[in-house]
Amino acid sequence: MAEDDDSYWNSSSAKGFSWDDSSDSVVLPSASISSSSSNTPATDLVTFEAGLSTSSQVADRVREATKLISAAAELPEPSISQLVGLKDVRKLEAELLTVRKNFAKLQQDRFQPSSATQTVQDMVLGRPFSLEGFRSLQDKEGLLDSALEWGDGEVVLAVAIMLKNTLKRSKFLAIMSSRQEAADQLISHMVVRLELREVVDLLVSLDRSHEAGVVAYKQAVNTNSLEIRSRNLKQTLVNNLKSHLDADLVVEQINLSERLAPVINGEVGQVDRQAGSLVGASVLKSLLYLSTHHYGAAENLLHSPLALRKMHRLTDKQFTWVSLRARAVGE
């Protein structure tokens, strides 16, 4: 039994490949694994059967694939109608014709500006736009009128700034005087940018002296020095507030500034008194300070509470109440 097993494992029925052999096929033997014992049941037998595959079959498949590739290569390139259909081709041709017409129109009108309405619409919608093409006075007026019709403040402001930078002052003022809404947008923009002197000149030119006086007053008091403030207010009073409704109040502020300036300068060494707080103080607050620190001063002195009362025409109740508070704090 042992000799039979050795003979089985040492022998082979496989046929090797030989160049001299006329057949180019390689045949694999059937492989079987079985138990050497005759008592082994049939279920323990395992057999592997290898299918036969010849090189001739492979060669046939290769030749068939080659024929298909050659046939596909000789086919003509498909047309657009074959790819998308005849109906879509007509639609594409119509769209292409429309694009060509639009392009030709753009080429023809490339040096002509868009209409005022179209330009304003592009500005409102955030599209690219250009104001360089509006060169004549009539075109600029039409552009501003279109912007006012749309009612967009930013667009109106942009057009107004363009007019201010490109027109003579006389023509610009003539346009702004007849279009106060555009002037208001431009004035608000200039006030935010603290271009107050230009705002005053523009308001005066537009015959809006009351507003010009208010802006000039704001510019005059924009300082911490009472001497400079007093000088600015005097100049503003002469130039812009001569016939203003609040001219008397400006005169009183000038008198108060001229009175308090020497008082502040004379008490530089008195740190505990905080004389610097009088720079923006009102009449009653100034009276409280003078009654606290200079209650018994003579009326002919600048720091006298009585002189302050007389100059600003304070009532008895105002003077008595403020003086009483000052004396109570002092005690």
Side-chain angles (χ1 to χ4, degrees):
M1 182 65 65
E3 294 178 357
D4 294 339
D5 292 340
D6 294 339
S7 176
Y8 173 80
W9 291 109
N10 293 328
S11 61
S12 174
S13 61
K15 183 179 179 181
F17 176 79
S18 175
W19 292 101
D20 298 333
D21 194 354
S22 59
S23 177
D24 56 353
S25 62
V26 179
V27 181
L28 296 178
S30 59
S32 63
I33 303 175
S34 61
S35 174
S36 61
S37 174
S38 59
N39 298 327
T40 304
T43 57
D44 293 339
L45 182 63
V46 180
T47 304
F48 300 95
E49 295 292 341
L52 299 179
S53 176
T54 61
S55 61
S56 60
Q57 295 176 349
V58 176
D60 292 340
R61 294 179 181 177
V62 171
R63 282 192 293 269
E64 184 179 358
T66 303
K67 291 180 181 179
L68 294 176
I69 294 174
S70 300
E74 293 176 358
L75 291 176
E77 184 178 356
S79 62
I80 298 178
S81 60
Q82 293 176 346
L83 293 176
V84 299
L86 182 60
K87 184 177 180 180
D88 293 335
V89 169
R90 293 177 180 177
K91 184 178 179 180
L92 290 175
E93 290 178 352
E95 292 179 356
L96 181 60
L97 181 61
T98 304
V99 171
R100 288 177 178 174
K101 290 182 180 179
N102 293 336
F103 180 74
K105 187 176 184 303
L106 290 175
Q107 288 284 74
Q108 183 180 359
D109 300 339
R110 64 185 183 275
F111 298 116
Q112 298 180 0
S114 302
S115 63
T117 303
Q118 183 63 41
T119 301
V120 172
Q121 183 177 359
D122 293 339
M123 296 172 69
V124 172
L125 298 178
R127 298 172 182 171
F129 67 92
S130 176
L131 303 179
E132 296 295 331
F134 299 89
R135 298 183 179 276
S136 66
L137 179 62
Q138 183 178 0
D139 292 340
K140 294 177 180 180
E141 287 181 344
L143 181 63
L144 182 58
D145 292 336
S146 298
L148 291 173
E149 290 178 2
W150 277 81
D152 191 300
E154 294 184 358
V155 176
V156 173
L157 175 61
V159 177
I161 293 176
M162 187 267 287
L163 297 181
K164 178 176 177 292
N165 295 332
T166 57
L167 291 179
K168 292 183 179 179
R169 183 171 178 82
S170 58
K171 295 182 179 180
F172 169 72
L173 293 177
I175 294 176
M176 290 293 105
S177 61
S178 60
R179 298 166 178 84
Q180 293 295 329
E181 295 181 3
D184 292 339
Q185 291 289 340
L186 181 60
I187 290 170
S188 299
H189 172 73
M190 296 170 67
V191 169
V192 172
R193 295 174 61 88
L194 299 180
E195 300 174 357
L196 301 181
R197 187 179 299 277
E198 296 183 12
V199 172
V200 172
D201 295 340
L202 178 59
L203 289 172
V204 171
S205 301
L206 296 177
D207 197 18
R208 296 164 63 173
S209 57
H210 179 80
E211 299 177 46
V214 174
V215 176
Y217 173 81
K218 181 179 179 180
Q219 183 182 12
V221 299
N222 190 23
T223 177
N224 291 327
S225 174
L226 291 181
E227 292 86 351
I228 298 177
R229 180 182 298 181
S230 177
R231 185 166 57 252
N232 293 341
L233 287 175
K234 288 181 180 179
Q235 184 177 0
T236 302
L237 185 63
V238 173
N239 297 333
N240 307 110
L241 298 174
K242 184 178 298 183
S243 58
H244 200 274
L245 297 176
D246 299 326
D248 294 338
L249 298 178
V250 176
V251 173
E252 289 193 10
Q253 186 172 4
I254 293 174
N255 295 333
L256 181 62
S257 298
E258 291 179 345
R259 177 177 294 274
L260 294 180
V263 174
I264 295 175
N265 294 332
E267 298 189 359
V268 176
Q270 304 293 337
V271 181
D272 56 332
R273 295 185 178 182
Q274 298 180 353
S277 61
L278 295 176
V279 173
S282 62
V283 175
L284 294 181
K285 187 176 179 179
S286 302
L287 177 61
L288 179 63
Y289 179 88
L290 297 180
S291 298
T292 303
H293 304 290
H294 306 282
Y295 183 75
E299 188 175 346
N300 60 341
L301 299 177
L302 291 175
H303 54 272
S304 171
L306 295 176
L308 182 66
R309 174 191 179 183
K310 183 177 180 180
M311 174 172 287
H312 295 282
R313 299 182 298 275
L314 298 179
T315 63
D316 293 338
K317 290 182 179 181
Q318 289 175 326
F319 180 76
T320 303
W321 172 248
V322 175
S323 300
L324 182 61
R325 287 183 56 195
R327 298 307 297 166
V329 173
E331 293 296 334

